[in-house]
Amino acid sequence: MRKQSMNKYKITLVDAGDSAVSIRFPQEISEKVHNEVMHHLGCIRSAVTSEKLPGILDIVPSYAAILICFDISVTNGETIKDSLEEIILSNPSSENREFEKRVIEIPVVYGGEYGPDLETVATHTGLSTDEVIRLHSEPEYPVYMIGFLAGFPYLGGLNPALETPRLESPRLSVPAGSVGIADKQTGIYPVESPGGWQIIGRTDTKLYDPNSDNPFLVSAGDVIKFVPAEPDSIKSVPSNHKCDNESKQHVDPALRILSPGPLTTIQDLGRHGYMDKGISVCGAMDCQALSELNLMLGNHPDAAGLESTFITPRIEFLKDTVFAVSGIHHPIKAKAGDILESITMSTGIRTYFAFAGGIDVPIVLGSRSTDIKNRIGGLEGRKLGTGDELALYDQESNIHESAEKVLDTKESLFTSSTIELNAIAVNVNSNTPSHTPLHSTENPVTIHITTGPQYSDLSESGISTFLNSEYIVSTSSDRMGIRFDGPSLSFTEEKDGNIITDGLCPGAIQVTPSGQPILMNADCQTTGGYAKPFWLASISKRKVAQLRPGDRVRFVLIKTADAVSLFRESL
């Protein structure tokens, strides 16, 4: 890194684990910094489009940073940083440059049933409701970033006279289209969700519509203008988004779910390219496990399968089907009428199922993965339920051209001959090869981590505490994140755990102001306002996918270069 040249523009490049790099601008929320972010974002996207920057999965702009997520099997952080440095130095500061900005008008009905907190904001600020409406609708608000939810815009430009604290107790449900104020921020809820903002109005303009050719109305760099509207001028705003093309009950299904277990979802290897719009990656928690099962069957590695939690689903086969399941090293042949019984896992937490041809559900935003938070993908964007029926693709039209080669190179792991379902006792995860375990026999489990952008925010004692303590996986852990019970971490005197919100992806370890670490999982949000001093090393992703409440873990810090080497040695 030519740090002297980079510092001329006050831009630094920092590793965010072994598969992401964070471009850091001066850490302030301002139009000047925003213009710098947008300028360099455009240059980076041009480089990706022209294939000068290969292996990029997602680019996430935020107030004062850009997170670049990449495929560690294709490239590495040092190569990415070298390329980014060249791009940044070749495209100097945006200062004194004029940017053409798209202005989007949003009609808003203020107050009444649509704005239940308008009076609260007026009382808190000492203004009349009419003055609140006038001051809120006067400015043009720059869209600094999209995050938290699909299409949720973080806006600058709120008049300081309107600053109002969040609700003391967040609502369990805020309708889609609600316009709110929280401290120095204003924004629009694109989908129904819990929320603690003061709701002052509502719009029927859809910021996020998965049924549209262009699902997202606004992007970072746009400008929003609120326009007061009369109550009878807006249509009712639906509280839930459902894709018109999402799967219904199939006419010719191959599988019927007799009992789904606590959480069984349709997953593939994840949804990339939309994190800048607030769309989570999702996908299998253990992508390698699902890929291996698919390749055993001759499927493409990204074919959709099932991920179950704790208890596997009870499945009735409506057609002759060949499938594969975690821990069984043979494809399994089931006949029409056969039933695969549920199994309660004694170790680990997640089991994977792949089916010859792959599960037939529509691709939504580039993936078949279920995103429960944003209600897309899989089967109607939800977990599977009793009675759900699933069709499979014709394997002859969906076979992966390299499957035979992969099978040949993994003879020690799999055999390609099928066995009958009724000829085996399916004991999920009991027979996994020791060199690719689905769950760890360590106690405590060793989790390798690398440094993140806010590593220096922790005090020396905070870092020492994290690396020399045992932590227990909390019962509140899920596919969004793993919380840990254990010693709290301390920050330096200048830091308290809060940061200017920036990008994050699965593997980020956030530390809250209370000092508690949270490891972000596949369904995590795309931005976060807590310090991220550590990041999960890719070599430990499989272990993390199988952590269950009560498991004990210890964290081991390794260099980013060593994390890359360990991962590539494991392939």
Side-chain angles (χ1 to χ4, degrees), residues 154-306:
Y154 285 75
L155 307 178
L158 181 70
N159 190 312
L162 296 178
E163 293 179 16
T164 307
R166 287 172 168 82
L167 298 175
E168 291 186 7
S169 180
R171 292 182 173 91
L172 296 178
S173 178
V174 177
S178 294
V179 176
I181 289 174
D183 300 316
K184 298 180 181 181
Q185 302 177 89
T186 187
I188 311 166
Y189 284 77
V191 296
E192 178 187 355
S193 70
W197 290 33
Q198 304 278 356
I199 304 304
I200 62 172
R202 195 185 306 177
T203 180
D204 63 352
T205 300
K206 291 185 178 181
L207 275 70
Y208 163 64
D209 182 3
N211 299 318
S212 171
D213 292 337
N214 182 9
F216 307 99
L217 178 65
V218 300
S219 299
D222 290 339
V223 172
I224 283 179
K225 172 73 173 174
F226 294 114
V227 180
E230 296 299 322
D232 59 359
S233 68
I234 73 167
K235 305 170 186 176
S236 61
V237 181
S239 59
N240 294 294
H241 285 288
K242 290 188 178 180
C243 289
D244 291 339
N245 64 342
E246 285 188 348
S247 294
K248 309 300 180 184
Q249 296 297 301
H250 289 278
V251 174
D252 192 23
L255 314 171
R256 179 181 294 129
I257 306 299
L258 301 180
S259 175
L263 178 63
T264 298
T265 55
I266 296 170
Q267 301 292 347
D268 57 19
L269 302 187
R271 182 172 284 106
H272 292 286
Y274 296 94
M275 285 181 63
D276 63 322
K277 304 298 188 184
I279 296 289
S280 305
V281 174
C282 298
M285 282 283 294
D286 186 346
C287 287
Q288 189 174 342
L290 181 59
S291 294
E292 289 175 347
L293 294 177
N294 274 320
L295 290 170
M296 186 198 305
L297 298 173
N299 293 343
H300 191 281
D302 196 27
L306 298 180

Side-chain angles (χ1 to χ4, degrees), residues 57-58 60 67 69 146-152 191 208 216 266-285 364-377 478-481 504-507 520-528:
L57 298 175
D58 277 286
V60 189
L67 184 69
C69 306
I146 306 290
F148 174 57
L149 294 169
F152 186 95
V191 296
Y208 163 64
F216 307 99
I266 296 170
Q267 301 292 347
D268 57 19
L269 302 187
R271 182 172 284 106
H272 292 286
Y274 296 94
M275 285 181 63
D276 63 322
K277 304 298 188 184
I279 296 289
S280 305
V281 174
C282 298
M285 282 283 294
V364 181
L365 300 181
S367 172
R368 296 180 176 87
S369 283
T370 304
D371 182 342
I372 293 176
K373 179 177 66 174
N374 290 309
R375 305 182 182 96
I376 58 173
D478 56 21
R479 277 181 51 94
M480 288 190 67
L504 60 82
C505 61
M520 309 312 292
N521 278 344
D523 289 359
C524 72
Q525 67 271 27
T526 61
T527 58

Side-chain angles (χ1 to χ4, degrees), residues 262-449:
L263 178 63
T264 298
T265 55
I266 296 170
Q267 301 292 347
D268 57 19
L269 302 187
R271 182 172 284 106
H272 292 286
Y274 296 94
M275 285 181 63
D276 63 322
K277 304 298 188 184
I279 296 289
S280 305
V281 174
C282 298
M285 282 283 294
D286 186 346
C287 287
Q288 189 174 342
L290 181 59
S291 294
E292 289 175 347
L293 294 177
N294 274 320
L295 290 170
M296 186 198 305
L297 298 173
N299 293 343
H300 191 281
D302 196 27
L306 298 180
E307 177 187 273
S308 65
T309 304
F310 277 123
I311 302 174
T312 65
R314 186 169 184 257
I315 301 173
E316 178 184 3
F317 293 91
L318 307 179
K319 290 182 175 182
D320 291 356
T321 305
V322 177
F323 72 102
V325 60
S326 305
I328 304 298
H329 310 152
H330 307 262
I332 305 166
K333 183 177 181 181
K335 296 179 180 179
D338 283 350
I339 292 177
L340 177 65
E341 296 294 342
S342 296
I343 295 171
T344 300
M345 299 178 67
S346 58
T347 56
I349 189 172
R350 292 180 176 90
T351 303
Y352 294 91
F353 298 82
F355 303 87
I359 296 176
D360 180 1
V361 290
I363 295 176
V364 181
L365 300 181
S367 172
R368 296 180 176 87
S369 283
T370 304
D371 182 342
I372 293 176
K373 179 177 66 174
N374 290 309
R375 305 182 182 96
I376 58 173
L379 194 64
E380 301 172 355
R382 60 174 173 80
K383 66 181 183 180
L384 297 186
T386 300
D388 283 337
E389 295 181 346
L390 304 174
L392 304 176
Y393 286 103
D394 178 3
Q395 187 173 26
E396 294 301 319
S397 63
N398 199 34
I399 193 166
H400 188 240
E401 60 185 8
S402 64
E404 184 175 348
K405 178 181 178 182
V406 173
L407 285 171
D408 288 342
T409 61
K410 288 188 176 283
E411 286 181 354
S412 62
L413 180 60
F414 300 128
T415 63
S416 57
S417 58
T418 61
I419 53 179
E420 298 289 334
L421 177 62
N422 59 9
I424 63 170
V426 179
N427 189 4
V428 177
N429 288 339
S430 67
N431 194 27
T432 307
S434 60
H435 59 285
T436 55
L438 288 184
H439 58 86
S440 177
T441 57
E442 300 172 307
N443 189 17
V445 179
T446 299
I447 303 297
H448 288 95
I449 58 174

